[in-house]
Amino acid sequence: MKLYYSPGACSLSPHIALLEAGLPYELVKVDIRAKKLENGEDYLKLNPKGQVPALGLDSGEIVTEGPVIVQMIADQASAKALAPAHGSAERYKLLEWLNFLTSEVHKSFGPMFAPALNDEAKAFFRDRVMGKLKYIDSQLADRDYLMGKQFTVADGYLFTMLTWADRMKFDFTAMPNLAAYKARVAARPQVQEALKKEGLAQAK
């Protein structure tokens, strides 16, 4: 498999999933602005959406959309329990988390990366993200991970966004559960390996 990624982008989530799953893969770096691969190839020919992540399968098929990719990875290494079994009540709970993270948290982070957006607009989205993170903090009161005791692909996704929050100087003082969670996930060897392979500073 080939993971098309941009360092520190949302492609970090499937990168973590691949390492946690113990599956063989190749990293292919994408210049998102230029829509080019490192060898100069046009990324849009591979993925017309022009975004990361994208997962190139051995069959030649390209799969896009992070929440779908991480489930596919989890299902290829079911013994690792990165996702509950298909059809189980717990699987639907995982889907609930993945949908919440992608539609409510991820999409609210996006505008804060836009250079053209003014400070007032960015403050609006910052407050929106903070509200979502406070909800997550409340859900982590008696859990090690989003699904309980077991690390799942949803945790890699949330952790990715928490690294963005770090870059934007979010204050987690009032969210002790989330702060402890972030440190717990960051301490996982596979998470640190993903950060190292992408040339990112290790999480604190």
Side-chain angles (χ1 to χ4, degrees):
M1 290 186 290
K2 292 183 179 181
L3 177 64
Y4 294 89
Y5 83 107
S6 180
C10 51
S11 46
L12 177 61
S13 171
H15 192 181
I16 291 170
L18 282 164
L19 288 166
E20 291 279 355
L23 297 174
Y25 68 96
E26 177 186 345
L27 275 179
V28 182
K29 192 174 181 180
V30 180
D31 183 332
I32 292 300
R33 293 192 179 188
K35 309 299 181 188
K36 298 284 186 184
L37 304 183
E38 282 189 297
N39 63 5
E41 287 183 24
D42 184 358
Y43 181 54
L44 292 173
K45 289 183 178 178
L46 282 168
N47 177 15
K49 292 178 180 176
Q51 299 169 318
V52 293
L55 189 68
L57 305 183
D58 295 339
S59 64
E61 183 183 356
I62 299 291
V63 180
T64 62
E65 303 303 329
V68 174
I69 291 172
V70 295
Q71 288 182 78
M72 177 177 284
I73 291 168
D75 289 340
Q76 289 189 36
S78 57
K80 299 287 187 177
L82 294 171
H86 279 288
S88 67
E90 287 298 292
R91 183 65 172 234
Y92 293 114
K93 190 65 181 177
L94 175 72
L95 290 173
E96 183 181 336
W97 273 118
L98 288 172
N99 277 276
F100 176 78
L101 292 172
T102 196
S103 64
E104 298 295 330
V105 186
H106 189 167
K107 290 305 178 186
S108 294
F109 260 111
M112 289 187 279
F113 288 107
L117 213 61
N118 63 41
D119 289 343
E120 184 179 354
K122 289 182 179 181
F124 169 82
F125 285 104
R126 187 185 184 92
D127 288 345
R128 185 177 180 131
V129 169
M130 284 293 283
K132 306 301 180 185
L133 294 181
K134 285 177 181 175
Y135 165 74
I136 295 173
D137 178 77
S138 73
Q139 297 302 297
L140 289 168
D142 57 353
R143 301 179 194 174
D144 290 338
Y145 300 107
L146 290 173
M147 295 287 291
K149 295 291 184 183
Q150 178 65 39
F151 178 93
T152 68
V153 291
D155 296 299
Y157 193 9
L158 174 56
F159 176 80
T160 295
M161 289 183 279
L162 293 179
T163 66
W164 303 344
D166 270 354
R167 283 155 56 186
M168 296 177 180
K169 308 298 183 186
F170 274 57
D171 184 2
F172 292 138
T173 304
M175 293 178 274
N177 300 321
L178 189 63
Y181 166 88
K182 178 179 172 293
R184 189 177 303 118
V185 176
R188 296 179 69 85
Q190 294 85 353
V191 172
Q192 288 297 328
E193 185 179 351
L195 292 170
K196 184 178 179 181
K197 285 186 173 182
E198 294 197 15
L200 304 170
Q202 295 206 341
K204 298 178 181 178

